Amino acid sequence: MENNIKDMPFKNSERLIESKEIYNGAIISVHQAQMTWDHHQTVQRDIIHHQPAVAILAENSDHQVILVKQYRAAVDAYLFELPAGVIDYVDGQLEAPYAAAKRELEEETAFHTESLRQVMSFYVSPGYLDEMIYLFEAQGVRKVLDPLPKDEDEFIELAFFDREAIASLLDDGQIIDAKTIIGLQYWLNKQEN
């Protein structure tokens, strides 16, 4: 994985005493960090660095949300999720979240939009992981005739759900991915107001 120190918040902390990278893989790196806590206490933390990512809440003209269904090895299950992906490095710099969201929407769904806006950003699990997800809302998405290619290892099925179906899937615990739950709750709450 390509690492840039400025993209790792803990590496820029005044609390950091020292850090040792103990693993560098395709999508994560793991670090043991010695840090000074409040009251001058020294602690060790294992920190996973993951490039930031985008998730896209894509709504078509029929007011249905597009979810992708794909196998996730870590939990050995097929999950419904918002289209999403990592923000890539381009010429040594992270691409803009907006550009990543447009790219990921097209790669994963073969849909495009002219109406894309960031609605929030959040850490996935800040106790040990620095991954930030930027949530975008895309309205009026339309099919692309010649879309960007999917990643070679992605096998994705698309599913379209209206408000009632999303509420039912959430109530029944059929959607268990955090970024998707956050995005869909935002969508449902927005429609109620």
Side-chain angles (χ1 to χ4, degrees), residues 121-163:
S121 58
F122 52 89
Y123 285 111
V124 174
S125 188
Y128 66 92
L129 174 66
D130 70 356
E131 181 182 14
M132 171 72 76
I133 294 185
Y134 297 87
L135 178 65
F136 284 82
E137 181 176 35
Q139 295 182 325
V141 297
R142 58 182 162 63
K143 199 78 166 154
V144 175
L145 296 177
D146 188 22
L148 296 170
K150 288 182 170 70
D151 292 340
E152 290 179 9
D153 63 346
E154 285 185 324
F155 303 97
I156 295 172
E157 295 177 34
L158 297 185
F160 300 81
F161 297 100
D162 63 17
R163 186 179 193 283

Side-chain angles (χ1 to χ4, degrees), residues 75-86:
V75 295
D76 188 32
Y78 285 89
L79 301 182
F80 281 117
E81 300 177 39
L82 294 176
V86 297

Side-chain angles (χ1 to χ4, degrees), residues 169-188:
L169 287 169
L170 288 167
D171 288 345
D172 294 344
Q174 293 184 52
I175 296 177
I176 56 174
D177 172 65
K179 69 182 175 304
T180 303
I181 293 169
I182 291 168
L184 293 175
Q185 290 291 359
Y186 163 82
W187 185 65
L188 292 175

Side-chain angles (χ1 to χ4, degrees), residues 38-178:
D38 294 333
H39 310 293
H40 307 290
Q41 180 184 13
T42 300
V43 297
Q44 178 178 310
R45 292 292 181 255
D46 294 333
I47 298 173
I48 298 174
H49 170 65
H50 191 292
Q51 285 173 217
V54 293
I56 305 97
L57 177 64
E59 183 179 349
N60 66 18
S61 58
D62 294 328
H63 304 292
Q64 297 170 317
V65 169
I66 301 171
L67 296 182
V68 296
K69 184 177 181 181
Q70 59 187 325
Y71 177 74
R72 294 302 198 178
V75 295
D76 188 32
Y78 285 89
L79 301 182
F80 281 117
E81 300 177 39
L82 294 176
V86 297
I87 296 175
D88 289 339
Y89 276 95
V90 178
D91 298 325
Q93 299 292 321
L94 284 171
E95 69 185 316
Y98 180 87
K102 285 189 82 108
R103 175 182 51 75
E104 285 292 342
L105 177 63
E106 188 173 329
E107 284 178 5
E108 290 203 350
T109 68
F111 279 83
H112 175 78
T113 185
E114 295 299 326
S115 175
L116 182 70
R117 71 179 187 91
Q118 184 180 332
V119 294
M120 69 179 75
S121 58
F122 52 89
Y123 285 111
V124 174
S125 188
Y128 66 92
L129 174 66
D130 70 356
E131 181 182 14
M132 171 72 76
I133 294 185
Y134 297 87
L135 178 65
F136 284 82
E137 181 176 35
Q139 295 182 325
V141 297
R142 58 182 162 63
K143 199 78 166 154
V144 175
L145 296 177
D146 188 22
L148 296 170
K150 288 182 170 70
D151 292 340
E152 290 179 9
D153 63 346
E154 285 185 324
F155 303 97
I156 295 172
E157 295 177 34
L158 297 185
F160 300 81
F161 297 100
D162 63 17
R163 186 179 193 283
E164 185 177 315
I166 289 295
S168 178
L169 287 169
L170 288 167
D171 288 345
D172 294 344
Q174 293 184 52
I175 296 177
I176 56 174
D177 172 65

